[in-house]
Amino acid sequence: MTVDLAIIGSGGAAFAAAIAARRQHRSVVMVERGTVGGTCVNTGCVPSKALLAAAEARHVALSAAHVPGVRADAEQVAFGELIAGKDELVTDMRADKYTGLAAEHGWEILGGVGSFVDGPALHVELHDGGSRRITAEHYLVATGSHPWAPPVEGLDEVDYLTSTSAMELDALPSSMLVLGGGYVGLEQAQLFARLGTEVTVVARSRPASTEEPEISAELARIFTDEGITVHAHSQVRTVRRDGDGYVVATIESDDGSTRQLRAERLLVATGRRATTDGLGLDTVGVATDGHGSVLVDDELRTTHPRVWAAGDVTEHPQFVYVAGAHGALVVDNAFHDAGRRLDYHHLPRVTFTGPSIAAAGLTEAQAQQAGHDCETRVLPLEHVPRAIVNRDTRGLVKLVADRGTGRLLGAHVLADGAGDVIATAVYALANHMTTHDVAELWQPYLTMAEALKLAAQTFTRDITQLSCCAA
């Protein structure tokens, strides 16, 4: 088989590239050794957010009493029904947004294990028997990433969960120890806690350590209020199962003290690594780093001139919207020598806890490291009308700006709907706006997006002295 573009993988980057290539009437073939659709639709964004929405629904019912006059309750979760509903949603989205699209746009998906051989070419061992040799003008490696576990004594003996297998359980655990304080660990910890599991989080640093420290501290307080125990600045040294089948973990804090924690299940959420095993990349001179990520230049070309890589398999941020942008970019650069590059300076990120975390641009520490003489403002949500009328003032907004020019350098939000709020900040950062510009933007009253405008106003005035609608 000879095509214009041969793709290994079938996630967001792969589909974006395939669609872009087909729109240019290029022939495409895709090779997938697992389930078509990649991480996002099968084991990542879609199933996790579906379960988070379910957990939030239960949490809202159980916490409704904070609104005067409202009484509500929630029964125990029918976990099997919940997982079955999630699976049905994933199946429908996979058919609608992936396998169906391939047929509509006209490219073949080969189920099998593909690896590079001399040529370069791809050798594919097909799942249904036989093999296929594929030659192409260009090749795209878009095999994504997989959960990674650190070397902990006894870990391989306790049947630990990953973020993938945790969402496939057939029964809700009574207790869970979550190893990892990043976005996956925090989302899963709150998900299971809100469904009724007793949850303990162990984090090497502070929770959400890549975010501003004010956000980490507030989120830790919120988790504690919801009954989630957080051991920050601690590491798991050993794990084992006791006579009752429970996991017993020995953790060590930064001060050298140790303690033992016991839970029915252990969830390891300590990051992801690029999936490059068995691809034969070294056969064709494609270099990887020490963690297996494919090395690419700014145009996503690997160390082989006809092999490209996109999405989580590279060292770039592991977001599906980055992967999608990568896929389209590769087609332009491979077939048209477009020389396109992406600007990541205002790339947003969201952690879907409740309230959620969203950020774009530089943190205060990053701005200082970049040489900015910066100034910051932190606005607690108790000063935001939308939060006040919601009777939920948990959270804050922090803005980072260059002191000399007033240019906005970063925005950081902990609030319900933070992912929507940060969209305004992305536009502000992309257009190099100042805090004065943001303070003068139109924002509809009684929206959470208004918090961004109010935070910008704190650079020049005391907003506690303003009436609700005053600018």
Side-chain angles (χ1 to χ4, degrees):
M1 173 186 286
T2 298
V3 294
D4 295 320
L5 179 63
I7 303 171
I8 308 180
S10 66
F15 265 73
I19 291 171
R22 290 298 299 137
R23 283 175 175 163
Q24 299 173 23
H25 307 291
R26 302 280 181 176
S27 55
V28 175
V29 68
M30 188 176 284
V31 180
E32 173 56 59
R33 64 180 173 183
T35 305
V36 172
T39 297
C40 181
V41 71
N42 290 310
T43 61
C45 324
V46 171
S48 67
K49 278 48 178 181
L51 293 179
L52 281 165
E56 182 180 7
R58 184 172 189 270
H59 175 74
V60 168
L62 291 174
S63 60
H66 75 282
V67 181
V70 175
R71 307 285 187 272
D73 200 356
E75 301 294 332
Q76 294 296 313
V77 174
F79 196 68
E81 293 179 30
L82 180 61
I83 296 300
K86 178 266 297 179
D87 290 342
E88 182 179 358
L89 176 68
V90 167
T91 299
D92 289 346
M93 286 194 69
R94 184 167 56 237
D96 187 38
K97 298 297 184 182
Y98 289 87
T99 54
L101 282 180
E104 183 176 332
H105 285 272
W107 79 81
E108 186 178 7
I109 302 176
L110 296 178
V113 179
S115 59
F116 282 96
V117 294
D118 288 338
L122 287 180
H123 174 81
V124 182
E125 287 291 335
L126 299 171
H127 288 328
D128 57 1
S131 63
R132 191 83 67 89
R133 178 182 173 87
I134 300 170
T135 58
E137 183 177 349
H138 291 281
Y139 301 85
L140 173 61
V141 180
T143 46
S145 61
H146 58 274
W148 173 81
V152 173
E153 182 181 338
L155 189 60
D156 291 336
E157 311 299 324
V158 297
D159 188 26
Y160 66 87
L161 299 170
T162 66
S163 58
T164 299
S165 57
M167 294 187 291
E168 297 170 348
L169 289 170
D170 54 11
L172 186 67
S174 60
S175 57
M176 177 180 285
L177 179 61
V178 178
L179 175 54
Y183 72 95
V184 173
L186 295 174
E187 288 181 0
Q188 297 262 329
Q190 194 176 48
L191 158 62
F192 279 95
R194 287 183 168 184
L195 291 177
T197 298
E198 180 183 347
V199 175
T200 300
V201 177
V202 178
R204 292 183 58 183
S205 180
R206 53 186 167 85
S209 61
T210 59
E211 307 296 343
E212 292 285 13
E214 294 89 345
I215 286 179
S216 290
E218 177 71 351
L219 187 70
R221 186 186 68 76
I222 292 167
F223 268 37
T224 299
D225 287 347
E226 291 193 13
I228 301 170
T229 302
V230 178
H231 294 284
H233 303 285
S234 301
Q235 297 188 56
V236 174
R237 295 305 186 192
T238 65
V239 293
R240 61 178 174 83
R241 285 207 180 268
D242 65 13
D244 297 323
Y246 276 59
V247 174
V248 178
T250 300
I251 69 168
E252 181 178 356
S253 302
D254 284 355
D255 62 8
S257 63
T258 62
R259 72 180 70 193
Q260 288 195 330
L261 303 175
R262 184 173 181 268
E264 181 180 345
R265 300 305 301 258
L266 170 65
L267 168 60
V268 178
T270 48
R272 301 180 67 84
R273 292 286 171 85
T275 302
T276 52
D277 60 297
L279 295 180
L281 296 174
D282 54 344
T283 303
V284 292
V286 172
T288 58
D289 68 8
H291 297 307
S293 298
V294 179
L295 298 178
V296 294
D297 61 18
D298 290 342
E299 298 176 11
L300 301 180
R301 191 192 300 267
T302 71
T303 46
H304 189 289
R306 291 167 52 203
V307 180
W308 306 74
D312 290 7
V313 78
T314 70
E315 292 181 300
H316 289 289
Q318 295 182 335
F319 302 124
V320 69
Y321 40 95
V322 171
H326 277 184
L329 180 143
V330 162
V331 170
D332 287 344
N333 288 345
F335 293 103
H336 303 289
D337 198 21
R340 284 183 56 205
R341 302 176 180 187
L342 293 179
D343 178 4
Y344 301 94
H345 96 272
H346 52 288
L347 179 72
R349 59 182 181 274
V350 182
T351 300
F352 290 89
T353 48
S356 50
I357 304 169
L362 302 177
T363 64
E364 182 178 0
Q366 290 169 336
Q368 291 170 345
Q369 291 169 3
H372 290 282
D373 177 13
C374 64
E375 60 179 337
T376 66
R377 295 290 187 276
V378 176
L379 178 70
L381 292 195
E382 65 191 53
H383 300 297
V384 177
R386 178 73 256 182
I388 294 170
V389 300
N390 283 354
R391 299 180 183 277
D392 183 2
T393 57
R394 302 172 303 166
L396 58 92
V397 176
K398 180 174 181 177
L399 298 182
V400 182
D402 184 272
R403 189 186 304 277
T405 64
R407 179 185 163 190
L408 183 67
L409 300 174
H412 310 270
V413 183
L414 175 64
D416 279 339
D420 298 317
V421 176
I422 207 65
T424 299
V426 170
Y427 299 134
L429 289 163
N431 290 285
H432 308 290
M433 295 172 69
T434 65
T435 54
H436 174 76
D437 296 330
V438 176
E440 296 301 316
L441 284 174
W442 287 110
Q443 290 286 7
Y445 181 56
L446 285 180
T447 64
M448 199 60 80
E450 190 185 21
L452 202 64
K453 174 176 181 171
L454 293 169
Q457 289 179 340
T458 62
F459 281 83
T460 57
R461 70 199 77 167
D462 180 0
I463 67 160
T464 65
Q465 301 301 310
L466 300 177
S467 74
C468 283
C469 309

